[in-house]
Amino acid sequence: MLRLIIIIYSIFFFEISTFSKDEYFLTLRYEKVNLRQGPSRKYPIKIFYKKKFLPVLIKDQSENYRKIQDHENNTGWIHLSQLSKKKAAIVIDEQLIMFSSPTIYSKPIAILKKGRLAKIIKCKNEWCKSKTDKYKGWIKKESLWGLF
């Protein structure tokens, strides 16, 4: 009886892990990227993205296409060649202070407005070292969209 329970449990666990959808973030590789309605060049273009390094959440895949969701909840399909593993994030708070060190007691460097794109250098716990335009410093991870 115990063997039967173990076998059923292992089959059930295997089924869940086989069909689980892992979501992860990538960024746009080029300045101009097409978001399509389906996973092929035959489908019409929904949106033209014009921002390199814009982070997108990967929701699904079909051959060489990835179904994505952007920070405004637009969804569609992008060819894998148009995506990059470079890290970037968008500020989701109205204002976000960038600090010189990963603590609120360090020197403030800049105030980032909502929608600002920041390239991520590295993250430590709840802080990420990032670069945006001429500023480089630490920002709170909880105020960013594009990272887990």
Side-chain angles (χ1 to χ4, degrees), residues 44-95:
I45 296 169
K46 285 173 69 173
I47 297 173
F48 295 103
Y49 287 113
K50 295 182 179 180
K51 191 69 175 170
K52 189 175 182 178
F53 300 119
L54 184 76
V56 292
L57 179 63
I58 307 302
K59 306 285 273 180
D60 199 4
Q61 66 182 36
S62 175
E63 295 181 18
N64 290 332
Y65 280 82
R66 299 296 179 262
K67 185 173 187 177
I68 65 100
Q69 177 182 337
D70 66 15
H71 65 288
E72 296 176 337
N73 287 331
N74 296 312
T75 59
W77 295 83
I78 295 179
H79 194 273
L80 187 58
S81 67
Q82 307 298 301
L83 299 168
S84 167
K85 290 184 179 180
K86 296 194 176 180
K87 298 287 184 200
I90 294 175
V91 175
I92 55 175
D93 288 349
E94 289 301 320
Q95 291 186 337

